[in-house]
Amino acid sequence: MAATSDRDLNEKSAGRFPRQTEAVVATREVFLDVRREDLAYTAPWWQLRRRIKERRLLCEQTGH
């Protein structure tokens, strides 16, 4: 959050803005690497089965 909030979009220095942007990107990558498993979502088997049944019902109702 600090890397994002430290960016100054009105920065006049040609060298500082790219460094700030690189810091934001690097911070995002670190965050995603650390929290990847928490951010991933794997549906339980019963939800997948429910979705298949819903799709079949919708296809039957629409005539596809």
Side-chain angles (χ1 to χ4, degrees):
M1 293 299 293
T4 302
S5 62
D6 286 344
R7 276 184 58 208
D8 182 8
L9 297 177
N10 295 321
E11 180 64 44
K12 301 296 182 204
S13 170
R16 186 163 184 236
F17 186 77
R19 286 193 309 269
Q20 290 174 333
T21 304
E22 289 171 8
V24 170
V25 171
T27 303
R28 182 195 67 197
E29 293 300 320
V30 169
F31 173 79
L32 289 176
D33 286 343
V34 170
R35 306 305 287 178
R36 191 162 309 277
E37 287 186 25
D38 294 334
L39 296 171
Y41 175 75
T42 305
W45 64 268
W46 63 85
Q47 288 185 0
L48 294 175
R49 195 172 200 194
R50 179 182 57 86
R51 294 290 302 237
I52 292 170
K53 287 182 178 182
E54 286 176 355
R55 193 170 296 138
R56 284 183 188 156
L57 179 65
L58 288 173
C59 286
E60 288 174 6
Q61 289 176 346
T62 59
H64 287 112

